Amino acid sequence: MEKGKISQDRIVTAATQLFYTQGYNQTSVSDIASEIGITKGNLHYHFRSKDELLEAVINHRLHYITDSLEQWDKEFPEPKARLKRFVKMVLNQESEIMRYGCPMGSLNVELGKCQDSLRNKARAMFDEFANWLEKVFKQMGHKDSKTLSKHLLSMAQGAALMSYVYADGKLLKRELKEIEKWIDSLAQK
Amino acid sequence: MEKGKISQDRIVTAATQLFYTQGYNQTSVSDIASEIGITKGNLHYHFRSKDELLEAVINHRLHYITDSLEQWDKEFPEPKARLKRFVKMVLNQESEIMRYGCPMGSLNVELGKCQDSLRNKARAMFDEFANWLEKVFKQMGHKDSKTLSKHLLSMAQGAALMSYVYADGKLLKRELKEIEKWIDSLAQK
DNA sequence: GACATTCTAGTACGATCGTCCTAGTATTGC
DNA sequence: GCAATACTAGGACGATCGTACTAGAATGTC
């Protein structure tokens, strides 16, 4: 549609990548601008502040998450298959997680020590997954679906963090396999 | 002893706290200096660079970890009691973890995206725990002690991260209880 | 084809940061 | 008591950052 959206999307895409690989505080607006070959002043026209750009980046991630979850719902009617699809998503990102950590987890860790507004924004990504997982566990007939949802996220985050710290892909695979065993052991309906 | 050590210790103590609560990159040397009522120039005399100060902070943490582990070895001859002491340590830090995350985990996440030398330094804290846990699992007669060690750390890190993101102390307690159940279920000798 | 809007480039500003220099003050060893 | 050392205070430096301003180019509309 509008031409403007193209530049804006390019900025958000580049910022998403750089915020992930370098961290939010370690990435300057000049870094983002030069990454896509525009000037700082131009970027400022599209996003008046770095915070505003971060918000766009988080929204970009949120939309991607929402779309993925919707897709999974369509593809997998079975609750356990849905849970395993979640685990598979983590596995698919193995090399990125090893090098840069979990994009959701590390951003939350970094922004948690900034202003509260950013902290809440970043947490929304977790909520997206947490609510979806909760729904799945409820579908399986579990009363403590909230607890189970957070438990699964907790295990996945721990696995991602450890494999990042040790740059160890095998560690991630091992831990994810443990999570799958846990899923298998769950009662259903 | 030497008078000098007093100032240096005060600097390292303040830096340790501020790096933890605000993050390394979000803490300026002025912050640290003014925290203990000295000037930037004075701090520069003791630590010629921020990196040098960070190294001192990490060494400070490393010594504290080493001392704790030695203490635990003395207090608890039973391997499972040692593992549970580790879990208890996490529980004891509940309020800090809720507000600032795991001091070891969040520092590793932040420094991982900086220079490699800092990354390796930060990882040494994990190694301290990992090697100790490995020793304990070996003591229990487990061949896969390395895997179990990382698995326990992984679960603990996941719990800390999630309780931090959601500022939820109950979540941490619940996850730690799950870890204790896992410890109880382990075969011994 | 003229006009309004949208976009872009380049630059400048104020603030903050890590680092360093200098000069003076305390402390120590002999 | 004196010289050498260790420490402190305060400020200056270059660099970098986020943000803002201005003028011109591109684009779309009627």
Side-chain angles (χ1 to χ4, degrees):
Chain A
M1 279 302 142
E2 311 138 72
K3 168 71 162 33
K5 287 289 171 191
I6 294 175
S7 275
Q8 226 153 333
D9 282 353
R10 285 179 65 215
I11 294 171
V12 171
T13 302
T16 301
Q17 184 66 15
L18 286 174
F19 287 169
Y20 176 39
T21 57
Q22 306 184 356
Y24 175 71
N25 292 295
Q26 288 80 19
T27 302
S28 69
V29 294
S30 303
D31 286 341
I32 300 162
S34 70
E35 175 73 22
I36 55 178
I38 64 172
T39 60
K40 254 200 308 187
N42 189 359
L43 199 154
H44 182 261
Y45 171 78
H46 292 285
F47 299 94
R48 279 192 301 267
S49 74
K50 199 183 172 187
D51 280 12
E52 194 178 315
L53 176 53
L54 173 65
E55 199 171 327
V57 165
I58 294 181
N59 285 333
H60 178 251
R61 295 210 104 106
L62 281 173
H63 283 126
Y64 181 77
I65 294 171
T66 307
D67 291 348
S68 298
L69 297 179
E70 272 182 25
Q71 187 67 26
W72 299 351
D73 278 336
K74 280 184 207 157
E75 282 184 60
F76 306 97
E78 273 292 304
K80 283 194 181 181
R82 290 179 178 178
L83 297 180
K84 290 199 178 177
R85 183 60 187 82
F86 170 78
V87 174
K88 193 183 172 227
M89 174 200 67
V90 182
L91 187 63
N92 285 343
Q93 297 184 47
E94 179 192 338
S95 63
E96 290 87 359
I97 289 173
M98 258 182 53
R99 273 188 290 178
Y100 312 114
C102 169
M104 189 171 58
S106 54
L107 193 61
N108 268 270
V109 168
E110 192 177 2
L111 296 182
K113 299 183 177 181
C114 294
Q115 317 138 16
D116 276 355
S117 63
L118 296 182
R119 179 173 183 151
N120 294 336
K121 261 279 163 193
R123 186 174 23 214
M125 292 187 290
F126 270 101
D127 284 328
E128 203 78 18
F129 280 111
N131 291 334
W132 183 80
L133 288 171
E134 196 184 328
K135 204 185 62 187
V136 176
F137 284 117
K138 216 170 267 173
Q139 188 188 357
M140 292 170 71
H142 287 279
K143 293 243 169 184
D144 54 346
S145 56
K146 232 174 196 126
T147 300
L148 292 171
S149 162
K150 297 280 171 62
H151 181 59
L152 179 47
L153 280 173
S154 173
M155 290 189 293
Q157 282 298 313
L161 192 142
M162 287 299 292
S163 82
Y164 168 58
V165 168
Y166 282 101
D168 186 345
K170 287 183 183 171
L171 191 155
L172 183 66
K173 282 182 190 143
R174 262 198 329 258
E175 292 297 325
L176 291 180
K177 201 143 259 171
E178 287 295 319
I179 294 176
E180 285 191 333
K181 286 208 291 192
W182 176 78
I183 292 173
D184 286 329
S185 75
L186 284 172
Q188 186 166 342
K189 287 255 186 200
Chain B
M1 283 298 145
E2 310 135 72
K3 169 70 161 34
K5 286 290 170 190
I6 294 176
S7 274
Q8 273 200 338
D9 282 353
R10 285 179 65 215
I11 294 171
V12 171
T13 302
T16 301
Q17 184 67 14
L18 287 175
F19 286 169
Y20 176 38
T21 57
Q22 306 185 356
Y24 175 71
N25 291 294
Q26 288 79 18
T27 301
S28 69
V29 294
S30 304
D31 287 340
I32 300 162
S34 69
E35 174 73 22
I36 54 178
I38 65 172
T39 60
K40 251 198 315 184
N42 190 359
L43 199 154
H44 181 263
Y45 171 79
H46 293 286
F47 299 95
R48 279 191 300 268
S49 74
K50 199 182 172 187
D51 280 12
E52 195 178 315
L53 177 53
L54 173 64
E55 199 171 326
V57 165
I58 294 181
N59 285 332
H60 179 251
R61 295 209 104 106
L62 280 173
H63 283 126
Y64 182 77
I65 294 170
T66 307
D67 291 347
S68 298
L69 296 180
E70 272 183 26
Q71 186 67 27
W72 298 351
D73 278 338
K74 281 185 206 158
E75 281 184 59
F76 306 97
E78 273 291 305
K80 283 195 179 181
R82 290 179 179 179
L83 297 180
K84 290 200 176 176
R85 183 60 188 81
F86 170 78
V87 175
K88 192 179 172 234
M89 174 200 67
V90 182
L91 187 63
N92 285 343
Q93 297 183 54
E94 179 192 340
S95 62
E96 290 87 359
I97 289 173
M98 259 181 54
R99 274 189 289 178
Y100 312 114
C102 168
M104 188 170 59
S106 54
L107 193 61
N108 267 271
V109 168
E110 192 177 0
L111 296 181
K113 298 183 178 181
C114 295
Q115 318 138 16
D116 276 355
S117 62
L118 297 182
R119 178 172 184 152
N120 294 336
K121 262 277 164 194
R123 184 174 24 215
M125 292 187 290
F126 269 101
D127 283 329
E128 203 78 19
F129 281 111
N131 292 334
W132 183 80
L133 288 171
E134 196 184 326
K135 204 185 61 186
V136 176
F137 283 118
K138 216 170 269 173
Q139 189 188 357
M140 292 170 71
H142 287 277
K143 292 241 171 186
D144 53 348
S145 56
K146 234 177 194 121
T147 300
L148 292 171
S149 163
K150 296 279 171 63
H151 181 59
L152 179 47
L153 281 172
S154 174
M155 289 189 294
Q157 284 297 314
L161 192 143
M162 287 299 292
S163 82
Y164 169 58
V165 168
Y166 282 102
D168 186 344
K170 286 181 184 172
L171 191 156
L172 182 66
K173 282 182 191 142
R174 261 197 331 257
E175 291 298 325
L176 291 179
K177 201 144 260 170
E178 286 297 317
I179 294 177
E180 285 191 333
K181 285 207 292 191
W182 176 77
I183 292 173
D184 286 329
S185 76
L186 284 172
Q188 186 166 341
K189 289 255 186 194

